[in-house]
């Protein structure tokens, strides 16, 4: 299988060199770059933001390492400061003893007594020379330790400053990632409102179903009209509205009342009478 892959790759390279000539490498690089950009565009933004959040989280080991270095340096400097303080105190004691012996030699005495022991001036002089040499060596060593302590303090300050910058930058990056997340959520919310994700086929099915139900309801209404009414298929005849009974009876009573009869008699003229005159015989 590997042999086939190698042969296929070699054949593709040979074919490309034959087609594109010396520009085959440039074409390959351009094609690879275009492919990579296309793939990056297809990656969801949610995944990209999660990658950024993971990258920020991966800064924690470096921060922890720097914190550990700072803690170790702080402990070393504290120990060195204590040693310097102790040696400074011892050096001051040695200086005081040396000055005491030197003053005794300057007195011009031939013998001296220290701690109930008698020493000659030569013994004291040798002791003073030895003490002075040791004092100068201890003083030089203490000076070197102070320089080392100063260098370590400078390095500690640099690491502390670096740690502060790392913590500040991590906070800034975390805030930027949160801002990206908020912007993406806002865009996604607006997209869901402006362009809701509705399947067009499902939408068409719903519309067709509603139309079919309306059609069936129209059929049912037509069936009710044809089966439930006596006037179906006949000439439509309009009927007059019924007259209220109370108003009709009142009108009749008023029309045929006695007052009506008297008024009528008074207005009528008497019929002329025919008088037959009889002649008296």
């Amino acid at each position: 299988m590997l042999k086939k892959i190698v042969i296929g790759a070699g054949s593709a390279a040979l074919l490309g060199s034959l087609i594109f000539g010396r520009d085959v490498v440039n074409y390959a690089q351009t094609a690879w770059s275009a492919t990579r950009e296309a793939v990056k565009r297809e990656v969801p933004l949610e995944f990209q933001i999660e990658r950024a959040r993971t990258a920020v989280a991966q800064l924690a080991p470096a921060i922890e390492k720097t914190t550990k270095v700072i803690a170790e340096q702080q402990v070393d400097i504290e120990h060195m400061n204590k040693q310097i303080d102790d040696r400074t105190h011892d050096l001051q004691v040695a200086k005081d003893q040396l000055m005491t012996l030197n003053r005794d030699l300057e007195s011009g005495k031939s013998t001296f007594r220290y701690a109930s022991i008698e020493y000659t001036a030569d013994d004291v002089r040798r002791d003073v020379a030895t003490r002075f040499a040791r004092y100068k060596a201890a003083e030089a060593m203490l000076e070197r330790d102070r320089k080392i302590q100063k260098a370590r303090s400078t390095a500690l300050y640099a690491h502390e400053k670096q740690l502060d910058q790392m913590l500040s930058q991590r906070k800034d990056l975390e805030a930027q990632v949160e801002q990206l997340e908020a912007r993406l959520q806002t865009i996604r919310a607006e997209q869901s409102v402006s362009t809701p994700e509705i399947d067009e086929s499902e939408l068409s099915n719903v519309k067709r179903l509603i139309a079919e139900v309306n059609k069936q309801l129209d059929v049912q209404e037509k069936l009710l009209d044809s089966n439930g009414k006596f006037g179906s298929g006949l000439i439509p005849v309009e009927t007059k509205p019924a007259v209220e009974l109370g108003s009709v009876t009142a009108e009749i009573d008023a029309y045929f009342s006695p007052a009506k009869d008297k008024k009528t008699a008074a207005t009528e003229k008497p019929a002329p009478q025919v008088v037959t005159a009889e002649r008296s015989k």
Side-chain angles (χ1 to χ4, degrees):
M1 182 66 181
L2 180 60
K3 183 178 180 181
K4 293 182 179 179
I5 295 175
V6 173
I7 293 174
S11 300
L14 179 59
L15 181 60
S17 62
L18 292 175
I19 296 175
F20 299 107
R22 290 179 298 178
D23 296 333
V24 62
V25 177
N26 189 14
Y27 279 108
Q29 292 176 350
T30 304
W32 169 252
S33 178
T35 303
R36 183 176 57 184
E37 293 297 327
V39 172
K40 287 176 64 176
R41 287 194 297 268
E42 293 299 326
V43 176
L45 293 176
E46 288 80 1
F47 181 77
Q48 296 283 20
I49 294 176
E50 190 62 30
R51 279 187 59 201
R53 183 178 286 108
T54 303
V56 173
Q58 290 177 351
L59 298 175
I63 294 176
E64 292 177 358
K65 182 179 179 180
T66 305
T67 305
K68 182 179 179 182
V69 171
I70 291 174
E72 293 175 350
Q73 288 179 338
Q74 289 174 344
V75 172
D76 291 341
I77 290 175
E78 289 176 358
H79 289 173
M80 179 168 280
N81 288 335
K82 187 177 185 304
Q83 291 177 359
I84 290 175
D85 292 340
D86 294 341
R87 292 173 64 180
T88 301
H89 178 266
D90 294 341
L91 197 62
Q92 183 62 40
V93 172
K95 179 182 178 181
D96 294 339
Q97 294 174 353
L98 181 62
M99 294 300 294
T100 300
L101 293 173
N102 190 53
R103 284 194 298 269
D104 290 344
L105 286 174
E106 291 176 349
S107 66
K109 295 181 180 180
S110 59
T111 59
F112 302 93
R113 182 176 293 275
Y114 302 104
S116 302
I117 300 175
E118 189 173 324
Y119 298 93
T120 64
D122 291 336
D123 292 335
V124 174
R125 193 174 288 108
R126 284 192 297 269
D127 185 74
V128 167
T130 302
R131 286 174 179 269
F132 185 52
R134 290 180 179 178
Y135 178 85
K136 289 190 293 183
E139 188 180 34
M141 187 178 297
L142 180 60
E143 187 64 24
R144 288 194 297 269
D145 289 343
R146 286 173 176 170
K147 290 181 179 180
I148 293 174
Q149 187 268 351
K150 184 178 181 181
R152 290 185 178 180
S153 298
T154 303
L156 175 61
Y157 175 77
H159 281 100
E160 289 176 344
K161 186 176 181 180
Q162 180 184 8
L163 179 62
D164 291 340
Q165 291 178 352
M166 294 174 66
L167 293 174
S168 178
Q169 290 176 0
R170 185 179 69 173
K171 290 296 182 181
D172 291 341
L173 292 174
E174 289 176 350
Q176 291 179 17
V177 171
E178 293 300 326
Q179 290 176 356
L180 291 176
E181 180 69 23
R183 287 184 62 190
L184 179 61
Q185 291 180 359
T186 302
I187 292 174
R188 289 291 184 260
E190 292 177 355
Q191 289 176 345
S192 63
V193 173
S194 60
T195 56
E197 297 180 356
I198 299 177
D199 190 356
E200 294 295 334
S201 60
E202 293 295 332
L203 185 61
S204 300
N205 292 333
V206 173
K207 291 181 178 180
R208 184 170 59 254
L209 177 61
I210 292 174
E212 291 178 356
V213 172
N214 282 325
K215 182 178 180 181
Q216 293 177 5
L217 291 175
D218 292 340
V219 172
Q220 294 295 328
E221 290 176 353
K222 291 296 183 182
L223 290 175
L224 289 175
D225 291 340
S226 60
N227 296 331
K229 296 182 179 180
F230 293 101
S232 177
L234 301 178
I235 297 175
V237 179
E238 294 182 358
T239 59
K240 296 182 180 180
V243 181
E244 294 182 3
L245 183 60
S247 61
V248 174
T249 55
E251 185 178 356
I252 294 174
D253 292 338
Y255 185 83
F256 293 103
S257 63
K260 173 72 174 179
D261 295 339
K262 290 180 180 180
K263 185 178 180 179
T264 303
T267 56
E268 291 179 353
K269 294 180 179 181
Q273 295 180 0
V274 176
V275 180
T276 303
E278 292 183 358
R279 295 179 178 183
S280 58
K281 297 180 177 179

